[in-house]
Amino acid sequence: MDSDPERTNFWSLLRKGNTSSAAAAMGNTFIAIVKGVAAAVTGNGAMFASTMHSIADAVNQGFVFAGSVLAEKQPTRRFPTGFGRVINIFCMVAVIVVTIMAYETVLEGFHLLRHPVHSSGFWLNVIVLLLSIAVDGYVLVKAMKEIVHEARVEAKGFAVPAAAFRNVKRAAPPTRLVFYEDLVATLGGLLALIAVVVTSFTDFAAIDGVMMIAIGFLMVLVAFRVGYDNMVGLIGVAAPKEVEDKVASIILSEPGVTDIYQMRVMQEGRYYHVDGLIELKPGLTLADADDIKFKVRDKLLLDQDITDVTLGILEDNGVKNWRPVEG
């Protein structure tokens, strides 16, 4: 009888998992298989590099999706602040996978520079790479829309890419990983397509190795960018200025609140923890002051990205303490 609630809880957690990473994992698994067959048949180095990238992406994004599911677990007595940072650990493991794949890709690229190989199967390569660019491009657009949604900004149509680049730091770790990886995957597909065309119509066979090395270094850039973001997340990082300003605005909108003595908003995964001291107008009874504090707390918890609020109260000291940090 206990298994039904557990099964229900499991499926509810699964539905909360990061949809961008799930879509990316399925798309890249399919593309990796198709590219692998094409690379084996044609012997094209750039196609091999692109295959390695797709394998790394598929493994990483499946792994990260699992981490995003675990990160949604409710706080327990042993872990009272929840499991938000679990996703940072999973993303760090994903970074290791990308780094290893990047090393192998660059190594093979230098080998092809020394020993160029004339590949065959031009149309097979072109069709596979165009399919790859289409799938990776679709996942990239989906990740951009997810960034816009998670950052709570308004953008539609052609405004989405610009909004995604501006607000990528406010997105959840798995969404950022998918965004960076599929941005590089799409660029890598274009580079591989250029290599296929050039090697098929010219004698410049060395471009195969050059493009392979370029794809490898793009993977290294992704590894460093995502690794840095998640290292900061594991240490504990302050929320973006926009989030802090929004929290302050909600607090100061309560009539009884006159000032914020101090406040700290910490980010864990895609969720925020608010800890602060608020100043109330003088002369309030303890009961009235408590009522105001609980009203403020409840207002903050209405935001679905805020999971924990701890507030203390002080009588207004007549000094303006809260000044938004200049961004």
Side-chain angles (χ1 to χ4, degrees):
M1 292 181 66
D2 292 337
S3 61
D4 288 337
E6 289 176 5
R7 190 178 297 112
T8 301
N9 186 49
F10 171 76
W11 285 112
S12 66
L13 284 176
L14 200 63
R15 285 195 296 270
K16 292 179 181 178
N18 187 267
T19 56
S20 293
S21 56
M26 291 185 288
N28 280 297
T29 299
F30 169 72
I31 287 299
I33 294 170
V34 175
K35 285 181 181 177
V37 172
V41 171
T42 65
N44 185 271
M47 180 66 78
F48 173 78
S50 193
T51 302
M52 294 290 281
H53 193 179
S54 293
I55 292 171
D57 285 355
V59 172
N60 284 347
Q61 289 155 351
F63 195 62
V64 168
F65 174 72
S68 71
V69 171
L70 291 176
E72 295 291 337
K73 283 175 63 67
Q74 293 297 313
T76 65
R77 183 183 295 275
R78 187 177 181 186
F79 302 102
T81 59
F83 296 83
R85 295 190 193 186
V86 168
I87 189 58
N88 297 108
I89 298 172
F90 276 71
C91 285
M92 288 299 286
V93 176
V95 166
I96 295 172
V97 175
V98 173
T99 304
I100 293 171
M101 293 292 189
Y103 169 76
E104 292 294 336
T105 302
V106 172
L107 201 65
E108 184 64 21
F110 279 112
H111 175 74
L112 283 176
L113 278 179
R114 292 193 298 270
H115 309 286
V117 176
H118 291 278
S119 62
S120 59
F122 171 75
W123 286 112
L124 176 61
N125 281 328
V126 169
I127 291 169
V128 169
L129 286 171
L130 287 175
L131 178 62
S132 169
I133 292 168
V135 172
D136 286 327
Y138 168 77
V139 175
L140 179 60
V141 170
K142 184 174 176 60
M144 287 179 176
K145 290 179 179 178
E146 194 78 12
I147 290 170
V148 169
H149 172 72
E150 291 175 355
R152 306 286 187 266
V153 295
E154 292 293 330
K156 292 182 179 180
F158 292 107
V160 170
F165 276 97
R166 283 196 306 270
N167 295 281
V168 64
K169 289 185 178 181
R170 295 175 60 186
T175 305
R176 290 201 301 267
L177 177 71
V178 172
F179 173 75
Y180 288 129
E181 285 200 339
D182 276 276
L183 180 62
V184 170
T186 305
L187 291 174
L190 289 171
L191 291 177
L193 184 60
I194 292 170
V196 167
V197 172
V198 172
T199 54
S200 297
F201 293 98
T202 71
D203 294 328
F204 186 32
I207 194 173
D208 212 9
V210 172
M211 290 303 188
M212 198 168 184
I213 293 169
I215 293 170
F217 277 111
L218 284 173
M219 293 168 71
V220 170
L221 289 176
V222 168
F224 274 103
R225 175 73 259 180
V226 176
Y228 173 78
D229 286 348
N230 285 280
M231 179 184 67
V232 168
L234 282 171
I235 294 170
V237 63
K241 179 181 180 298
E242 295 85 353
V243 175
E244 188 178 74
D245 289 345
K246 181 175 71 172
V247 170
S249 176
I250 293 172
I251 292 173
L252 294 172
S253 68
E254 180 60 35
V257 178
T258 58
D259 196 8
I260 299 172
Y261 185 76
Q262 63 183 35
M263 184 178 69
R264 181 176 63 189
V265 184
M266 297 291 293
Q267 182 172 357
E268 286 198 2
R270 69 182 184 90
Y271 296 113
Y272 302 104
H273 300 274
V274 179
D275 186 5
L277 275 173
I278 58 176
E279 295 183 18
L280 308 182
K281 59 185 180 182
L284 294 173
T285 65
L286 182 59
D288 290 338
D290 275 342
D291 286 344
I292 293 173
K293 180 180 75 171
F294 290 129
K295 282 181 183 177
V296 172
R297 185 198 65 180
D298 292 343
K299 279 184 180 180
L300 290 172
L301 289 174
L302 287 175
D303 189 313
Q304 58 185 335
D305 292 332
I306 297 175
T307 59
D308 181 56
V309 177
T310 303
L311 295 174
I313 51 177
L314 296 170
E315 188 174 77
D316 190 353
N317 59 9
V319 178
K320 186 68 175 177
N321 294 292
W322 177 251
R323 289 181 179 83
V325 177
E326 294 297 328

